[in-house]
Amino acid sequence: YVRNTNFSMAYFSGGGSKWQQQTKNKQIIGNQGLHFVSFVLARKGFNVAITSRNAKGADILIYNEDCSIVKTIQIKSITIKQYINVGQTSEKIGPEPKLMCDYWVFVNLSYAYPRCSVYAKEELQPLVTVDNNPGKAGKWSWWLPSNVSDNCLDEWDKIQL
């Protein structure tokens, strides 16, 4: 079996037109992005496993045929441009935020066909900033700028086992 590395988002129609989201439910929006990314990865020949929702850590695991290599993927689904929360700490000064997953995919669902920005952890880490003030729970949040969903569009070949 040879993995199809030529799978392209151009396969689908309606790429640039705006889409009116049918729900504001964050769980459903998250599921849309999660299952869309799972579909794309499976079409590219990866074994894909979706993890438990609302648990800390990866949303998707991809692995080789004998499970000797596993990579983790975090999915962030958005419907509007906004800063993206990627974690919290109880200490403002301390270690830099550590992104847990090997890959991050930001799925912009405001278009007729979802736009996906694909990042390796190493290229995303330098973009993380911390709040100036702690939130209600007394924790500082780590954020990514809203433009992360505009860059690295459909760069699926970054994802490797």
Side-chain angles (χ1 to χ4, degrees), residues 123-144:
E123 60 186 330
L124 202 57
Q125 184 73 49
L127 304 176
V128 177
T129 59
V130 67
D131 274 344
N132 289 326
N133 299 303
K136 292 178 184 175
K139 294 187 177 194
W140 281 266
S141 292
W142 300 323
W143 297 93
L144 288 169

Side-chain angles (χ1 to χ4, degrees), residues 28-151:
I28 293 172
I29 290 168
N31 282 336
Q32 289 172 4
L34 175 70
H35 289 280
F36 180 78
V37 171
S38 297
F39 162 77
V40 171
L41 292 171
R43 288 289 299 250
K44 291 185 74 54
F46 290 105
N47 291 308
V48 178
I50 295 174
T51 63
S52 297
R53 298 292 291 146
N54 295 326
K56 281 192 173 188
D59 293 317
I60 293 176
L61 305 176
I62 57 172
Y63 54 94
N64 64 353
E65 299 216 0
D66 66 358
C67 295
S68 61
I69 301 173
V70 177
K71 297 292 183 174
T72 57
I73 303 173
Q74 178 73 46
I75 310 300
K76 294 290 185 183
S77 301
I78 61 171
T79 56
I80 59 171
K81 283 185 87 164
Q82 59 192 12
Y83 284 88
I84 300 167
N85 186 310
V86 294
Q88 293 183 327
T89 180
S90 56
E91 305 281 331
K92 182 170 183 181
I93 300 172
E96 288 196 12
K98 300 293 184 225
L99 300 176
M100 287 191 273
C101 295
D102 298 306
Y103 300 101
W104 290 65
V105 180
F106 300 91
V107 184
N108 186 336
L109 295 166
S110 63
Y111 295 90
Y113 182 79
R115 291 186 177 181
C116 297
S117 299
V118 182
Y119 289 87
K121 173 174 57 176
E122 297 76 21
E123 60 186 330
L124 202 57
Q125 184 73 49
L127 304 176
V128 177
T129 59
V130 67
D131 274 344
N132 289 326
N133 299 303
K136 292 178 184 175
K139 294 187 177 194
W140 281 266
S141 292
W142 300 323
W143 297 93
L144 288 169
S146 60
N147 69 345
V148 296
S149 64
D150 296 333
N151 303 317

